[in-house]
């Protein structure tokens, strides 16, 4: 069964460009993962400090492999001081039908 989620966080005032740069680099790496089906990053049109990421993985094993990828921890460590939350807020979702 596919593993699908939204991740969201808010860049600190003035950090949105650096967050976007980090996120674009991370996006390229995640999209190359064998089990990744989608990784799309967005900002809210009315608030470019608000970031939303739609992620989809082949299954739970592919998601676990994503969590263990060697570039994940460095990305999160670089992101942490740039965002208002302690970490990305994850919402797991299931498709209807």
């Amino acid at each position: 069964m596919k593993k699908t989620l939204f991740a969201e966080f808010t860049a600190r005032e003035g950090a949105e460009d650096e967050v976007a740069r980090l996120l674009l680099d991370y996006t390229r790496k995640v999209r190359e993962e064998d089990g990744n089906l989608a990784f799309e990053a967005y900002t809210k049109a009315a608030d470019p400090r608000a970031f939303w990421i739609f992620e989809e993985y082949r299954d739970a094993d592919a998601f676990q492999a994503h969590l263990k990828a060697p570039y994940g921890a460095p990305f999160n460590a670089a992101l942490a001081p740039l965002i208002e939350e302690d970490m990305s807020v994850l919402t797991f979702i299931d498709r209807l039908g």
Side-chain angles (χ1 to χ4, degrees):
M1 175 180 238
K2 291 180 185 176
K3 195 64 126 173
T4 308
L5 65 136
F6 280 107
E8 58 186 298
F9 50 84
T10 307
R12 293 187 186 278
E13 188 74 39
E16 54 269 28
D17 290 343
E18 179 64 10
V19 169
R21 186 191 66 73
L22 286 170
L23 187 53
L24 287 172
D25 181 58
Y26 185 62
T27 296
R28 284 189 284 278
K29 293 173 182 173
V30 174
R31 286 179 179 168
E32 293 177 1
E33 294 174 10
D34 182 50
N36 178 261
L37 303 175
F39 194 93
E40 302 293 333
Y42 300 88
T43 58
K44 185 176 179 180
D47 182 4
R49 292 177 47 228
F51 288 83
W52 293 328
I53 303 151
F54 173 78
E55 304 178 47
E56 190 168 40
Y57 300 89
R58 181 181 56 237
D59 53 27
D61 289 340
F63 180 65
Q64 287 304 312
H66 164 70
L67 294 177
K68 295 174 185 172
Y71 42 82
F75 167 76
N76 287 318
L79 183 68
L82 301 174
I83 63 174
E84 293 181 354
E85 300 80 6
D86 291 334
M87 62 180 64
S88 298
V89 177
L90 305 181
T91 303
F92 290 89
I93 58 176
D94 294 319
R95 180 175 289 179
L96 294 177

